[in-house]
Amino acid sequence: MKRKEVRKMINRLRLLFFLLLTLIFASCERRQLWDEITDLAPVDVDVDWQRSRWKDFDEGQPPTGMSVYAYDKNGKHKPVVIVTNNLEHATTKLGDGLWNMFVFNQSVMEYASLMFSGMDNYYSARVETIPQASRWFAASRAEWVTRSNSPWAAQTRSRTRAQKDGTRAEEYSLTTKQPIWIATDSHEGVLVTEDMLVREYTPHTRFDDGKFYPLSAVKNVKIKVHFKGVKNLLTTRAVISGVAKSYSISEGSSMNELTAHEITGWTLVKDTVNTELGYLEATMQTFGMVKGYRYNPEDLYLHLDVMLVDGQTILTHDLPVGHLVRYATTAGSDIDINIDVRKENPIELPNVQITGGGNGFDITVSDWEDEINIDIDL
């Protein structure tokens, strides 16, 4: 074979080799290797709402979504937030380290009557009630606030001094909206190690005791006020001061700041034996009693105005009821509260001449302008 022919054959073999090599690489499918890790570990979060008492609030409607917040204890990673319509499960991706986590129903943007703050830090995250002015309470209780020793009155005076406007009656009587239902639960010290950083095709990470069981942050408070001479009762208006204004999401408990809520929706229940006796009953929602509540009488006040059937006479009461707080059971702070006022010593309503178009209790009466105030010493 001539040298020229040998060279041509070698070149052809080289070309064939490169063609084959190109075909081999082109036919290969690149797959993720089992030992190739990512920077984040998908962590499964499971939630059970059976203990949250959602049936007792918001007209018995179940939550339609939930939020999951995760905070790196060492500050190495930014907080992670997941909002989902799945009530039972969510997957959040976390880096290695220790994490604190909490969950609550819905999302921050869905609570028009609540205010969230400190959400960038696990320990400072809180929810609180929104201010709501009450004109009649502002007008009738400013003087009481200036002289009262109740913790709420003292806090209100301190707030107005800090605002350098301590003479405004409306600041003395600042009430807040009753909180709508929200339930929370938390876990601390969720450990995600480098070995737990999930590889593709492997199961997700589940931390120990990783299920959340949210409890209601809101309490139902049933209030009863007993009277003698109920035939003289036309209508009433009331505020309760000294209840908790805010709730710590991470601690799952109320905080120290106080507020006042207006109470509406009273129902009159007459005694079936003694027609002179009866009581007003209403239910309100609140974050409950403040942290470290002492059950002293002055720790909680029921401010009550009662209009008699003459349509003019109003009896004004400021009743210390802090010692009357009773939980429905001793099972925990998420249980309803009962406050039974003057059961053994009913408030006496004097006889007055009936005027107007009726002589029964009417929760719809709203005209309190032309009023005669009678202060009752308690």
Side-chain angles (χ1 to χ4, degrees):
M1 184 179 294
K2 296 181 179 181
R3 179 178 297 179
K4 187 175 182 180
E5 292 177 351
V6 172
R7 188 177 293 111
K8 287 182 178 180
M9 184 177 292
I10 292 174
N11 288 337
R12 289 173 183 171
L13 289 173
R14 286 178 178 174
L15 180 60
L16 181 60
F17 173 77
F18 283 114
L19 287 174
L20 290 174
L21 191 61
T22 301
L23 289 174
I24 290 173
F25 278 111
S27 64
C28 287
E29 178 183 354
R30 185 181 182 276
R31 300 183 63 86
Q32 178 93 5
L33 298 179
W34 282 82
D35 60 353
E36 184 174 348
I37 65 174
T38 64
D39 294 332
L40 300 176
V43 177
D44 284 338
V45 175
D46 295 315
V47 185
D48 186 339
W49 296 91
Q50 293 186 34
R51 306 177 190 175
S52 67
R53 299 185 60 206
W54 60 264
K55 295 181 181 179
D56 298 332
F57 299 91
D58 281 3
E59 300 179 354
Q61 297 299 317
T64 57
M66 68 176 180
S67 298
V68 180
Y69 282 67
Y71 301 85
D72 178 15
K73 292 190 68 173
N74 298 320
K76 179 180 176 182
H77 305 280
K78 293 182 178 179
V80 178
V81 181
I82 301 293
V83 179
T84 176
N85 290 328
N86 190 333
L87 283 175
E88 299 178 353
H89 179 83
T91 299
T92 180
K93 293 185 177 181
L94 306 178
D96 64 301
L98 284 173
W99 292 80
N100 294 333
M101 303 174 66
F102 58 66
V103 302
F104 58 86
N105 56 297
Q106 309 310 121
S107 65
V108 168
M109 300 303 295
E110 294 177 86
Y111 286 98
S113 63
L114 292 176
M115 183 165 51
F116 291 78
S117 61
M119 300 300 287
D120 58 340
N121 184 284
Y122 174 79
Y123 296 103
S124 65
R126 61 188 284 179
V127 56
E128 60 185 279
T129 55
I130 292 178
Q132 175 177 271
S134 175
R135 288 186 178 182
W136 72 265
F137 192 54
S140 65
R141 293 311 194 278
E143 182 181 352
W144 180 87
V145 174
T146 61
R147 58 181 172 80
S148 173
N149 292 322
S150 82
W152 173 79
Q155 183 186 89
T156 303
R157 292 194 298 267
S158 176
R159 184 190 305 120
T160 55
R161 283 196 296 269
Q163 294 173 345
K164 298 180 181 180
D165 192 5
T167 61
R168 293 176 55 190
E170 61 267 28
E171 292 294 341
Y172 287 142
S173 59
L174 186 63
T175 60
T176 58
K177 294 182 179 180
Q178 294 184 27
I180 62 175
W181 177 74
I182 180 172
T184 71
D185 191 20
S186 62
H187 277 282
E188 296 188 6
V190 178
L191 178 63
V192 178
T193 66
E194 291 186 0
D195 292 338
M196 293 166 63
L197 295 179
V198 177
R199 299 157 175 81
E200 194 172 354
Y201 311 116
T202 61
H204 286 191
T205 299
R206 293 181 183 273
F207 55 92
D208 293 340
D209 192 25
K211 201 160 191 175
F212 290 81
Y213 297 90
L215 299 177
S216 176
V218 179
K219 320 296 185 273
N220 273 329
V221 180
K222 180 178 290 186
I223 302 171
K224 292 182 180 180
V225 186
H226 296 262
F227 296 94
K228 182 178 181 181
V230 292
K231 64 181 181 181
N232 298 296
L233 176 61
L234 177 61
T235 189
T236 189
R237 58 191 181 186
V239 162
I240 192 164
S241 65
V243 293
K245 181 181 180 181
S246 54
Y247 182 88
S248 169
I249 301 177
S250 60
E251 294 182 9
S253 65
S254 59
M255 303 180 73
N256 293 323
E257 192 173 7
L258 301 162
T259 192
H261 295 313
E262 190 164 3
I263 308 170
T264 58
W266 292 96
T267 301
L268 178 61
V269 180
K270 295 182 178 180
D271 192 293
T272 57
V273 178
N274 188 343
T275 58
E276 283 291 305
L277 300 178
Y279 61 85
L280 287 176
E281 183 178 54
T283 300
M284 59 171 284
Q285 293 181 191
T286 177
F287 285 132
M289 303 300 110
V290 294
K291 190 175 182 180
Y293 186 72
R294 300 173 300 171
Y295 295 90
N296 292 330
E298 66 273 12
D299 288 345
L300 195 69
Y301 270 84
L302 178 65
H303 308 278
L304 186 70
D305 284 359
V306 179
M307 179 180 283
L308 302 185
V309 291
D310 61 359
Q312 293 183 338
T313 306
I314 297 175
L315 309 181
T316 299
H317 298 264
D318 296 296
L319 305 170
V321 297
H323 59 301
L324 301 178
V325 172
R326 299 288 184 273
Y327 287 95
T329 71
T330 58
S333 60
D334 63 316
I335 304 301
D336 290 339
I337 298 171
N338 295 321
I339 302 176
D340 207 350
V341 183
R342 301 290 288 265
K343 184 176 182 180
E344 305 301 329
N345 183 24
I347 298 173
E348 292 196 25
L349 304 179
N351 291 322
V352 294
Q353 185 176 356
I354 299 175
T355 59
N359 59 358
F361 177 71
D362 185 358
I363 65 172
T364 64
V365 174
S366 58
D367 186 7
W368 294 71
E369 297 301 323
D370 299 327
E371 57 190 42
I372 302 172
N373 288 290
I374 302 177
D375 293 327
I376 306 296
D377 293 328
L378 303 177

